Amino acid sequence: MDQAHAHHEGEHGHQGHQGHQKHQGHDHHGHGAVGWPMAARATLHCLTGCAIGEVLGMIIGTALGWGNVPTMILAIVLAFFFGYALTLRGVLAAGVDFRSAVRVALAADTLSIAVMELIDNGVIALWPGAMDAQLSDALFWAALALSLALAFVVTTPVNKWMIGRGKGHAVVHQYH
């Protein structure tokens, strides 16, 4: 061990390395408590991408005169796309190469977006009249708002569980 490295070790002791693994009072390797605020922020991040994709998919499907199923499929695809894109933006800004950034985004967001889309689209599909509501109908926006809110409530504990095990958005935080 060279003198400079020995000084660094002596200055920070064993805690120096562990301190880098901790961020905002939680341990990314699953050994510490993960707070609800972090899980809520991760869920809100996914919700933003999902909402953008859902609304854009509905607008495009409606404008093109598509039926419910192709419009819903487009909305789901766009929800995943925008969810991943928001994560990619941050990871790429940290200097990570594109291929690695894509892997990080897939690892961080796939389960979260999938749960969110399942809840969101399930509510829309089961709400009487919501599938046939147009963008100009209050029912469309009320059903979408409630479905996204419910998706947030259901997905937040999923994200808390994943982050606590070093998965999901815990993977992204190492690049911030």
Side-chain angles (χ1 to χ4, degrees), residues 51-75:
I52 292 168
E54 288 284 332
V55 172
L56 188 58
M58 297 294 181
I59 290 170
I60 292 170
T62 300
L64 296 176
W66 291 359
N68 289 338
V69 173
T71 299
M72 186 177 275
I73 290 169
L74 177 63

Side-chain angles (χ1 to χ4, degrees), residues 5 24 31-32 36 43 45 60 69 77 84 92 101 112 120-122 125 136 140 150 152 156 159 162-163 168:
H5 188 80
Q24 297 179 2
H31 302 296
W36 286 104
T43 306
H45 179 267
I60 292 170
V69 173
V77 167
Y84 291 140
L92 288 170
S112 180
D120 174 43
N121 286 288
S136 59
F140 171 84
L150 185 58
F152 177 83
T156 299
N159 281 328
M162 288 186 346
I163 293 166

Side-chain angles (χ1 to χ4, degrees), residues 4 7 10 15 19 27-28 40 42 48 91 102-103 108 118 133 148-149 154 164 169:
H7 173 71
Q15 192 175 24
D27 184 333
H28 288 285
T48 302
V91 176
V102 167
R103 279 190 238 130
L118 180 67
L148 290 172
V154 171
H169 272 260

Side-chain angles (χ1 to χ4, degrees), residues 37-171:
M38 182 184 182
R41 282 190 301 276
T43 306
L44 188 57
H45 179 267
C46 286
L47 181 71
T48 302
C50 286
I52 292 168
E54 288 284 332
V55 172
L56 188 58
M58 297 294 181
I59 290 170
I60 292 170
T62 300
L64 296 176
W66 291 359
N68 289 338
V69 173
T71 299
M72 186 177 275
I73 290 169
L74 177 63
I76 292 168
V77 167
L78 290 175
F80 273 92
F81 173 79
F82 282 101
Y84 291 140
L86 290 176
T87 297
L88 272 174
R89 191 178 119 235
V91 176
L92 288 170
V96 176
D97 67 279
F98 185 76
R99 185 181 205 127
S100 297
V102 167
R103 279 190 238 130
V104 168
L106 291 173
D109 291 336
T110 300
L111 182 59
S112 180
I113 295 171
V115 170
M116 196 163 288
E117 285 301 297
L118 180 67
I119 300 301
D120 174 43
N121 286 288
V123 168
I124 301 277
L126 295 175
W127 187 317
M131 288 292 290
D132 296 319
Q134 299 298 311
L135 295 173
S136 59
D137 296 337
L139 175 59
F140 171 84
W141 295 103
L144 182 63
L146 182 67
S147 69
L148 290 172
L150 185 58
F152 177 83
V153 169
V154 171
T155 308
T156 299
V158 172
N159 281 328
K160 185 178 186 304
W161 177 81
M162 288 186 346
I163 293 166
R165 280 146 188 80
K167 309 272 186 226
H169 272 260
V171 176

